[in-house]
C-alpha cells in the first residue's frame, strides 16, 4: 500500500526524534514486505537501528543483547 508510506516515514522520524533507538520488526519472509519496509525505514539513522526477524524469539534476543528487558513471557501471540 504505497499510500501509507509517507505516514510510516513521518511516524518513524518522529519516534527517532523522540529517542527511539532500536526497532525489531518480526514478519514472515516476504520480498514485497521487505521492499516496502526498506523503502520507508532505513536500517540505521543516527542513533537508531532497525532489524528484521523471521521469528519473535530472535527479535527479543537481539533487544536483550542491547540491554532492553522485554518481558518476553508477558507477551501473548495474536489470537490466543
Amino acid at each position: 500500500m504505497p499510500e501509507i508510506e509517507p505516514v510510516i516515514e513521518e511516524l518513524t522520524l518522529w519516534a527517532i526524534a523522540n529517542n527511539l533507538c532500536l526497532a525489531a520488526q518480526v514478519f514472515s519472509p516476504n520480498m514485497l514486505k521487505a521492499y516496502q519496509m526498506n523503502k520507508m525505514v532505513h536500517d540505521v539513522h543516527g542513533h537508531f537501528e532497525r532489524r528484521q526477524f523471521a521469528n519473535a524469539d530472535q527479535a527479543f534476543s537481539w533487544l536483550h543483547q542491547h540491554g532492553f528487558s522485554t518481558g518476553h513471557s508477558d507477551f501473548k501471540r495474536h489470537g490466543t
Side-chain angles (χ1 to χ4, degrees):
M1 295 191 312
E3 62 274 7
I4 197 164
E5 290 176 12
V7 176
I8 299 297
E9 288 179 83
E10 183 179 337
L11 176 61
T12 302
L13 290 174
W14 177 88
I16 292 169
N18 285 276
N19 299 317
L20 175 68
C21 59
L22 297 175
Q25 299 172 327
V26 180
F27 55 84
S28 58
N30 178 298
M31 289 184 66
L32 181 57
K33 282 186 218 174
Y35 170 76
Q36 282 190 303
M37 293 305 295
N38 291 336
K39 190 174 171 186
M40 292 184 289
V41 182
H42 300 285
D43 287 338
V44 177
H45 182 82
H47 67 280
F48 171 74
E49 183 177 356
R50 173 184 70 113
R51 294 269 179 99
Q52 297 172 353
F53 300 93
N55 71 61
D57 288 333
Q58 292 172 329
F60 285 120
S61 176
W62 179 70
L63 291 170
H64 184 72
Q65 289 170 8
H66 284 83
F68 289 89
S69 174
T70 59
H72 183 298
S73 62
D74 295 338
F75 286 91
K76 295 183 180 177
R77 292 182 182 265
H78 180 70
T80 59

